[in-house]
């Protein structure tokens, strides 16, 4: 998680330097062709000064984050940072900002990064690919390095919008301009969508599912996939990964059972049992016996004891029950009542 704290401001600083270099080259070429070269150079100087101030701000932010990464504050606020990361991924930006401000972590979380992602997602949910295409254009080199196919999918979805409106002529123009360049690498995908032009009016249309609004949710997932990969983030939140690791280590085959769950077991609690439902129980080479009544480990100091009906509980639990009921114990499982003297120690080989 510490890697992501440092990565984004460093990348922003590097991007600013590249942009400044490109701008300098363009302005120098323009000034040679301009009669007012002095004015152009003054404007360039002002722009470079602004970039220099912003770059300095980003470098100072990098320095603060480097110092933060190895500090006690980073360790103490790990849970808060896990929660903030999860909130940002879910799109709850205002809550994430409030929590970051409350625990003084505003400088160490990248809310702006996820704010842009959420704006792209909202636009896609409204069937608008313009903002996503702008994002692709701004990050073209990185997406190419990832061998991303997001842009071609955005273009074919843009094509389906025109088809859905009945603008076949506009769809043809769009295909010639924006889909033809992808035909060599993504020919099968392009051909599948181009078939809509021929069969969209057919009574039985095998390609109608390509116009289904539900497919826009798939496009959102494609964007998120490349967004996370490009920024060096996992597709699941760090909080989710920590929870899964913890639940996998704690879960047994009895967790979640209506009759054999333990009240003190964190996996069996009502808020967690649904999260752990799809996680496989951990493989254990050494058994650990836990009393179903108290949640305490049964060992030499607190051995397991069997009732005459075969149910097993810890000695401390049975003795506490007998002390309250005149040396009688009631089996919680069956309701049978026995004298404590009838219980026998259980030995596990």
């Amino acid at each position: 998680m510490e890697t992501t704290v440092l990565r984004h401001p460093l990348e922003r600083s590097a991007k600013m330097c590249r942009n400044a270099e490109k701008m300098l080259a363009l302005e120098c070429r323009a000034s040679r062709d301009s009669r007012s070269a002095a004015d152009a150079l003054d404007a360039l100087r002002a722009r470079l000064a602004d970039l220099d101030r912003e770059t300095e701000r980003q470098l100072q932010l990098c320095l603060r984050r480097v110092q933060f990464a190895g500090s006690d504050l980073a360790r103490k606020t790990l849970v808060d940072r896990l929660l903030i990361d999860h909130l940002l991924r879910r799109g709850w930006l205002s809550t994430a900002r409030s929590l970051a401000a409350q625990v003084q972590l505003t400088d160490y979380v990248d809310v702006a990064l996820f704010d842009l992602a959420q704006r792209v997602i909202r636009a896609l949910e409204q069937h608008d690919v313009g903002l996503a295409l702008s994002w692709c254009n701004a990050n073209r080199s990185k997406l190419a390095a990832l061998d991303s196919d997001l842009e071609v999918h955005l273009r074919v979805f843009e094509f389906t919008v025109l088809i859905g409106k009945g603008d076949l002529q506009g769809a043809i123009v769009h295909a010639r301009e924006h889909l033809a360049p992808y035909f060599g690498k993504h020919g099968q995908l392009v051909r599948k969508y181009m078939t809509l032009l021929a069969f969209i009016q057919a009574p039985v249309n095998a390609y109608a599912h390509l116009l289904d609004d539900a497919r826009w949710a798939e496009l959102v997932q494609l964007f998120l996939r490349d967004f996370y990969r490009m920024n060096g983030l996992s597709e699941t939140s760090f909080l989710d990964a920590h929870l899964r690791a913890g639940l996998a280590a704690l879960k047994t085959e009895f967790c979640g059972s209506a009759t054999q769950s333990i009240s003190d077991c964190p996996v069996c609690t009502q808020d967690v049992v649904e999260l752990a439902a799809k996680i496989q129980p951990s493989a254990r080479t050494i058994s650990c016996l836990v009393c179903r009544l108290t949640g305490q480990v049964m060992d030499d100091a607190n051995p397991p004891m069997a009732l005459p009906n075969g149910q097993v509980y810890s000695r401390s639990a049975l003795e506490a029950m007998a002390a309250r009921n005149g040396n009688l114990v009631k089996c919680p499982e069956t309701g049978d009542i026995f004298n404590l003297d009838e219980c026998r120690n259980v030995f596990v080989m």
Side-chain angles (χ1 to χ4, degrees), residues 198-258:
F199 293 103
I200 194 63
Q201 302 296 337
V204 179
N205 185 5
Y207 295 89
H209 69 282
L210 298 177
L211 300 175
D212 191 348
D213 286 349
R215 290 180 60 82
W216 286 86
E218 299 175 11
L219 188 60
V220 169
Q221 293 305 312
L222 281 177
F223 164 73
L224 285 174
R225 178 202 65 185
D226 286 351
F227 171 78
Y228 290 138
R229 287 198 302 165
M230 194 190 76
N231 290 288
L233 299 170
S234 61
E235 294 192 18
T236 57
S237 70
F238 293 108
L239 177 63
D240 187 57
H242 279 70
L243 281 174
R244 287 178 181 275
L247 292 174
L250 294 172
K251 185 177 180 180
T252 69
E253 60 185 47
F254 301 109
C255 288
S257 170

Side-chain angles (χ1 to χ4, degrees), residues 26-98:
L26 290 173
E27 291 291 345
C28 287
R29 285 198 296 270
S31 64
R32 287 197 296 267
D33 300 331
S34 174
R35 294 181 180 178
S36 55
D39 293 340
L41 289 175
D42 288 340
L44 175 61
R45 188 181 296 110
R47 292 183 187 179
L48 290 176
D50 291 339
L51 279 173
D52 183 63
R53 285 191 292 270
E54 180 60 22
T55 303
E56 178 64 23
R57 191 181 72 83
Q58 292 298 327
L59 291 175
Q60 289 297 325
L61 179 60
C62 290
L63 178 60
R64 290 197 297 273
R65 291 193 176 191
V66 168
Q67 295 169 344
F68 170 80
S71 67
D72 290 337
L73 180 60
R75 291 187 289 272
K76 292 178 181 178
T77 59
L78 176 60
V79 174
D80 292 316
R81 288 187 290 136
L82 291 174
L83 290 172
I84 292 170
D85 172 74
H86 189 73
L87 292 170
L88 290 173
R89 289 168 181 264
R90 289 299 185 94
W92 299 325
L93 303 185
S94 60
T95 306
R97 286 192 186 96
S98 298

Side-chain angles (χ1 to χ4, degrees), residues 329-343:
V329 293
K330 181 178 180 180
C331 177
E333 188 71 23
T334 64
D336 297 331
I337 297 176
F338 305 99
N339 193 288
L340 181 62
D341 297 334
E342 299 179 72
C343 302

Side-chain angles (χ1 to χ4, degrees), residues 74-186:
R75 291 187 289 272
K76 292 178 181 178
T77 59
L78 176 60
V79 174
D80 292 316
R81 288 187 290 136
L82 291 174
L83 290 172
I84 292 170
D85 172 74
H86 189 73
L87 292 170
L88 290 173
R89 289 168 181 264
R90 289 299 185 94
W92 299 325
L93 303 185
S94 60
T95 306
R97 286 192 186 96
S98 298
L99 178 57
Q102 182 179 347
V103 295
Q104 299 180 348
L105 291 175
T106 303
D107 284 344
Y108 311 114
V109 294
D110 294 285
V111 178
L113 184 71
F114 288 92
D115 181 52
L116 174 59
Q118 288 302 315
R119 285 191 282 119
V120 172
I121 290 171
R122 287 194 296 270
L124 291 176
E125 289 173 344
Q126 296 172 6
H127 300 185
D128 179 7
V129 301
L131 194 55
L133 286 170
S134 298
W135 181 82
C136 288
N137 186 57
N139 299 282
R140 188 173 301 280
S141 59
K142 291 184 178 180
L143 292 174
L146 295 173
D147 195 25
S148 169
D149 58 355
L150 175 61
E151 188 168 358
V152 64
H153 279 90
L154 291 171
R155 291 300 186 184
V156 296
F157 271 73
E158 196 173 28
F159 176 78
T160 62
V161 171
L162 295 171
I163 292 290
K165 293 178 179 178
D167 185 4
L168 300 185
Q169 186 61 39
I172 292 172
V173 173
H174 178 276
R176 288 173 177 170
E177 182 177 355
H178 298 295
L179 297 185
Y182 296 104
F183 194 81
K185 188 175 182 179
H186 303 282

